[in-house]
Amino acid sequence: MHAARLPICLLLFALLTALGGNALAVPECYRNAAAPAHELGFLAAGATGVTALTPDGQGCVEVPLYQGEPLLRQKLYAPFRQVYEAYARAVETGNRAAAVRTYTHVRPTPRPFPLWVWLSNEPEGAPMPWGMDMTLKILRMLQPSEKTEDALLVPGDHDLPVLDMQRTWPILFLLMGGEVWPQADAEQWTPAKLSPRNLKRHLLWRYPWARIEDRQQNGETEVRLK
C-alpha cells in the first residue's frame, strides 16, 4: 500500500508550494504577466486585458476586457494565495469596488479533492503582514452567516478571536468560489488531519452530492471522494 502511494506523494510534493505548502505551483507565464487576473479589481478603467490561469493551473490565457469587465462572461482563475492577497488589499484600502469585482470574476484555481484536503493537512497561519485580524475581516466579508465564523473560531477568549486555520483554509477556498474537482483516481486514498466529519460538513455545504469515504490505515485517517 505504501509503495503504491509513493508516486502520488511525490507528485503532491512537487505541486505544493506557498500558502503553507498548499498552493499549486504558479507557471512563469502568470508570474511574469503585466496584468495578472488577481489584479482585476485594481486595474485602471482603460485596461484592455488580463492574464488568467487555465483551469488546471498549468498554463495561461489572455482575457480581453471591456469597460473593466471580461469581454465574454467567464471565470478568471488565479492562484489561491494571490486571490487572498487581492481581498486583503481591498479591505486594507477600503476599496469595496475592488472586492466586488474580485468576487464577481476571480476564482482560485480549481483543486482536485486530494489537494483541497491538503489545505487542512499543512495549514499556514494567517498570512503576514496582515495577520489574523485580516483573515477574520475577509471571512466576515465572504461568509454567508455569522455561524460560519463561530464554527471556525478556536474556543477561548472571543475578545481576541483566533481562527482554526486547519478548518478555515478549506472554507475560505470555497467562499472565494474555489471549485473542488473529483479526484483523478477514484480509488486513491488521501491522508487527512482534519476529521472526516468536518471535511464532509465543509464540502457538502458547497457540493451536496459529494460522497466522502474514510478509513483508518496504519494508524492514520484517509479519505477519498467517490
Side-chain angles (χ1 to χ4, degrees):
M1 184 65 177
H2 288 295
R5 285 212 320 252
L6 182 57
I8 295 173
C9 294
L10 291 175
L11 176 60
L12 287 173
F13 181 78
L15 290 175
L16 303 175
T17 53
L19 196 53
N22 293 317
L24 296 174
V26 181
E28 185 176 356
C29 58
Y30 192 88
R31 293 197 308 270
N32 297 333
H38 67 272
E39 291 284 339
L40 176 69
F42 307 95
L43 295 179
T48 58
V50 294
T51 300
L53 289 172
T54 53
D56 64 3
Q58 301 302 300
C60 296
V61 291
E62 299 303 320
V63 179
L65 301 178
Y66 176 70
Q67 294 184 346
E69 310 282 337
L71 182 62
L72 300 176
R73 187 175 180 83
Q74 64 188 101
K75 298 172 184 176
L76 304 180
Y77 293 118
F80 185 21
R81 176 60 182 259
Q82 276 67 39
V83 178
Y84 179 97
E85 291 177 353
Y87 280 112
R89 181 178 168 191
V91 171
E92 187 176 45
T93 58
N95 192 336
R96 185 178 183 277
V100 170
R101 290 176 72 192
T102 300
Y103 183 80
T104 302
H105 300 291
V106 183
R107 302 287 182 268
T109 312
R111 286 171 177 255
F113 177 71
L115 291 181
W116 178 73
V117 172
W118 223 261
L119 286 171
S120 67
N121 281 355
E122 298 294 339
E124 181 190 21
M128 299 305 288
W130 308 282
M132 183 63 65
D133 182 57
M134 179 58 73
T135 304
L136 278 161
K137 288 178 180 178
I138 293 173
L139 176 64
R140 288 166 181 168
M141 179 174 62
L142 298 174
Q143 67 180 343
S145 99
E146 292 182 2
K147 292 181 179 179
T148 306
E149 179 183 337
D150 291 341
L152 298 177
L153 287 172
V154 175
D157 184 1
H158 282 204
D159 290 333
L160 187 64
V162 175
L163 292 167
D164 178 349
M165 299 307 294
Q166 187 177 46
R167 289 181 290 146
T168 298
W169 283 126
I171 283 291
L172 273 180
F173 177 82
L174 296 174
L175 289 174
M176 291 178 184
E179 303 164 28
V180 179
W181 286 356
Q183 54 193 68
D185 179 359
E187 303 305 314
Q188 174 189 344
W189 291 92
T190 300
K193 294 183 180 179
L194 196 63
S195 73
R197 178 176 177 273
N198 274 316
L199 286 173
K200 291 173 184 177
R201 182 171 59 182
H202 292 346
L203 195 60
L204 289 175
W205 169 74
R206 176 74 178 273
Y207 299 104
W209 50 262
R211 183 161 65 93
I212 299 177
E213 296 182 343
D214 63 272
R215 71 176 185 182
Q216 294 295 315
Q217 183 76 359
N218 298 322
E220 67 179 11
T221 301
E222 296 181 331
V223 293
R224 66 183 179 185
L225 182 64
K226 297 294 287 184

